[in-house]
Amino acid sequence: MKSPPSSSSSSRRSTLSAYFLVISFILFVAFLYSEDFACVLRGPFLFSSEIQDYSTRKEKNDFVAGEEEKEAVVPFSVGRGKKGCDLFEGEWVYDEEGRPQYEEEECPYIQPQLTCQVHGRPDSNYQHWRWQPRRCYLPSFNATLMLENLRGKRMMYVGDSLNRGQFVSMVCLLHRIIPENSKSMETFDSLTVFKAKDYNATIEFYWAPFLVESNSDNAVVHRITDRIVRVRSINKHARHWKGVDVLVFNTYLWWMTGQKMKILQGPFGGDMKNVIEMETEEAYRFALRRMVKWVDKNMNPSKTRVFFTSMSPSHETSMGWGGARDGNCYNETTPITDSNYWGSSSKGIMRVIGEVFDRSNAPITLINITQLSEYRKDAHTSIYKKQWSPLTPQQLANPKSYADCVHWCLPGLQDTWNELLYAKLFFP
Ligand SMILES: *[C@@H]1O[C@H](CO)[C@@H](O)[C@H](O)[C@H]1NC(C)=O
Ligand SMILES: *[C@@H]1O[C@H](CO)[C@@H](O)[C@H](O)[C@H]1NC(C)=O
Ligand SMILES: *[C@@H]1O[C@H](CO)[C@@H](O)[C@H](O)[C@H]1NC(C)=O
Ligand SMILES: *[C@@H]1O[C@H](CO)[C@@H](O)[C@H](O)[C@H]1NC(C)=O
């Protein structure tokens, strides 16, 4: 087929409009990459320098790999992990004696959304599973060693309610060896601080469900369905993390609202017309890179450690593991045994996490809990928790309709996440 003839004036017009398109694209990119309106013009250059960094980083890594001896001085380490052992690959082993490491009623810090026994959970096997990596053993959690090494230091978990659960689990694992009058737990807005006074150590939690700034940042009032984030803005939160010695980040659940995220290009309270929609994975990538950039600039790798906990899976549809057609985690009392099982967790987000950390200079240790938690359909709080609002007769007649298949009972699965963190912190 012949293409229709075109006059030279219309071709000039299309060159012009292509030119216009390129300019608007550059401006668009500039918007995305600049934290504030003011640095719009720096945007595109920032972009190309990031690519530049990546291409030279490969060589830098090879160079470091040649100097294995130097790698030995990882801050906080007291030993080495077994070479070639992937802690996150393995199986759940039932351990009646060895687990749990504390009792639900013995730890007063567990929030009523996670105390399953006191809310009537009839079974307790979910507390007795121990994670067994395929090629090595997890070091046993030693609370004294942990507190000794945190002497005069701050450890902070930053993220959403799942990270809050992991924070509480850590406090429960430690609090037993601290006398009653030398510990305290206090909350100031987004920050909750557990103090071990004799050690002058704190374990803290900071609420920032997207890590970057969002309209869901209020630690109490944040049940917002129309979520909006500023993917390049982190300092509003990060100023509360500055100077912390051990940081543990997570962010995932709040991004899972659909295919797209709403991104605000400018401050909240300003012109809300500057909201664009972006693919969730891309928005997530921007936020993660912003966090990594902050770590690179603000954390001293010879004195501090930074961790990132991967996605916490949920168990909303039992068909996925060969269960009933309309079931979920409700009434589940045993782990999934099919080692290939992978539920609804986003593989795309996992890929983004891998890519962003591979390309970063900042040493961030991934606590890859997703696969091992996928097996734990039995470990959720389900209906055995304090409810936000009274249940209707219809709900009560159909318990699975209000089961929480996102959060986890304590003691339980999240203690294992901390055992893995402990292993990576002291035996890297
Ligand atoms: C725990 O760590 C402390 C301090 O390093 C040490 O003295 C103690 O022997 C350890 N306990 C066990 C059971 O290994
Ligand atoms: C207590 O720990 C903080 C850091 O969390 C440190 O700045 C301070 O100097 C320590 N105080 C003492 C008395 O060791
Ligand atoms: C819960 O599970 C048990 C045993 O697997 C089964 O007998 C019971 O009918 C289930 N209950 C509900 C409400 O699904
Ligand atoms: C986390 O572990 C899973 C299962 O072993 C693996 O498929 C995934 O690639 C890992 N993610 C990263 C970012 O390493």
Side-chain angles (χ1 to χ4, degrees):
M1 248 182 47
K2 265 190 170 176
S3 55
S6 64
S7 78
S8 76
S9 92
S10 92
S11 100
R12 184 178 309 133
R13 209 161 35 234
S14 70
T15 312
L16 271 175
S17 67
Y19 188 68
F20 178 74
L21 263 177
V22 167
I23 294 278
S24 14
F25 176 73
I26 289 177
L27 281 175
F28 175 69
V29 169
F31 265 123
L32 297 186
Y33 280 83
S34 57
E35 181 162 347
D36 286 303
F37 207 81
C39 35
V40 149
L41 287 176
R42 250 182 34 214
F45 303 110
L46 223 111
F47 184 55
S48 61
S49 80
E50 275 184 19
I51 290 173
Q52 183 81 36
D53 263 355
Y54 175 48
S55 59
T56 55
R57 209 159 284 161
K58 284 261 183 296
E59 293 152 40
K60 256 190 260 169
N61 281 344
D62 289 344
F63 185 59
V64 171
E67 303 181 318
E68 290 248 322
E69 298 311 302
K70 271 205 176 153
E71 253 191 310
V73 279
V74 180
F76 291 92
S77 72
V78 300
R80 297 292 283 170
K82 191 173 167 210
K83 270 221 151 53
C85 172
D86 179 356
L87 294 182
F88 309 111
E89 196 194 325
E91 59 179 356
W92 289 102
V93 176
Y94 190 77
D95 185 347
E96 181 71 43
E97 297 297 307
R99 296 291 182 280
Q101 287 136 299
Y102 57 90
E103 299 299 326
E104 182 185 293
E105 68 272 14
E106 167 222 319
C107 183
Y109 308 105
I110 311 175
Q111 56 276 49
Q113 282 79 32
L114 306 181
T115 47
C116 298
Q117 293 297 314
V118 91
H119 289 96
R121 183 157 177 168
D123 59 314
S124 59
N125 283 1
Y126 68 90
Q127 299 183 346
H128 293 286
W129 294 91
R130 180 170 55 77
W131 180 246
Q132 176 59 63
R134 186 151 303 150
R135 297 194 178 82
C136 57
Y137 285 91
L138 278 181
S140 50
F141 189 93
N142 182 334
T144 311
L145 187 143
M146 178 103 197
L147 280 171
E148 286 293 351
N149 284 282
L150 285 180
R151 198 176 275 282
K153 302 227 151 67
R154 292 173 71 194
M155 173 173 185
M156 189 189 282
Y157 291 79
V158 177
D160 58 27
S161 56
L162 289 149
N163 222 16
R164 190 202 309 264
Q166 196 182 345
F167 154 74
V168 171
S169 151
M170 180 58 90
V171 170
C172 291
L173 286 165
L174 294 175
H175 92 103
R176 196 180 347 195
I177 64 162
I178 309 168
E180 207 49 56
N181 55 5
S182 57
K183 58 192 168 195
S184 66
M185 179 85 106
E186 275 182 287
T187 295
F188 322 87
D189 297 326
S190 296
L191 187 66
T192 301
V193 180
F194 175 79
K195 259 199 194 115
K197 289 176 193 142
D198 297 343
Y199 294 89
N200 185 31
T202 60
I203 318 278
E204 310 176 33
F205 169 75
Y206 182 91
W207 172 262
F210 292 97
L211 300 184
V212 291
E213 193 179 341
S214 79
N215 65 347
S216 309
D217 289 340
N218 187 302
V220 183
V221 190
H222 51 238
R223 307 188 91 201
I224 290 161
T225 44
D226 192 24
R227 296 166 190 175
I228 302 175
V229 293
R230 290 183 72 198
V231 283
R232 298 293 289 175
S233 168
I234 204 165
N235 287 328
K236 178 190 160 204
H237 297 313
R239 63 197 166 89
H240 299 279
W241 320 330
K242 226 173 161 142
V244 168
D245 303 280
V246 180
L247 269 171
V248 186
F249 291 111
N250 91 326
T251 185
Y252 172 60
L253 186 64
W254 286 67
W255 298 89
M256 294 297 107
T257 52
Q259 298 286 305
K260 300 241 161 112
M261 277 306 298
K262 288 201 169 120
I263 307 300
L264 176 64
Q265 307 160 311
F268 279 102
D271 192 348
M272 295 301 278
K273 270 184 272 172
N274 292 328
V275 171
I276 59 155
E277 289 209 331
M278 196 189 282
E279 294 292 327
T280 299
E281 278 169 31
E282 285 317 295
Y284 188 89
R285 186 190 303 275
F286 277 108
L288 214 53
R289 282 163 73 173
R290 185 67 190 90
M291 180 275 277
V292 168
K293 201 168 132 201
W294 184 88
V295 167
D296 209 8
K297 199 165 155 209
N298 294 280
M299 297 296 281
N300 178 349
S302 65
K303 292 207 172 84
T304 65
R305 291 290 302 275
V306 181
F307 297 89
F308 185 86
T309 308
S310 63
M311 309 99 75
S312 173
S314 54
H315 292 86
E316 306 285 2
T317 44
S318 51
M319 267 213 306
W321 58 83
R325 187 170 199 78
D326 56 350
N328 55 21
C329 73
Y330 171 65
N331 206 22
E332 291 292 346
T333 54
T334 54
I336 292 166
T337 49
D338 171 9
S339 64
N340 293 317
Y341 175 78
W342 181 278
S344 57
S345 301
S346 164
K347 286 214 156 110
I349 293 287
M350 186 59 104
R351 200 178 50 242
V352 170
I353 293 172
E355 285 167 5
V356 170
F357 290 169
D358 276 355
R359 292 174 194 194
S360 86
N361 270 335
I364 300 178
T365 306
L366 182 68
I367 307 293
N368 188 349
I369 53 89
T370 308
Q371 179 73 68
L372 61 96
S373 306
E374 285 283 2
Y375 303 138
R376 296 304 306 278
K377 63 177 164 57
D378 60 316
H380 290 287
T381 52
S382 186
I383 63 169
Y384 309 109
K385 59 182 279 191
K386 186 180 174 186
Q387 300 299 332
W388 289 104
S389 38
L391 297 164
T392 63
Q394 289 89 334
Q395 283 178 312
L396 287 166
N398 181 17
K400 65 174 183 282
S401 69
Y402 66 95
D404 178 343
C405 299
V406 171
H407 298 96
W408 312 95
C409 302
L410 282 184
L413 172 69
Q414 294 195 292
D415 303 322
T416 297
W417 299 3
N418 279 319
E419 288 181 81
L420 292 160
L421 175 66
Y422 176 91
K424 289 288 185 187
L425 179 61
F426 295 119
F427 305 90

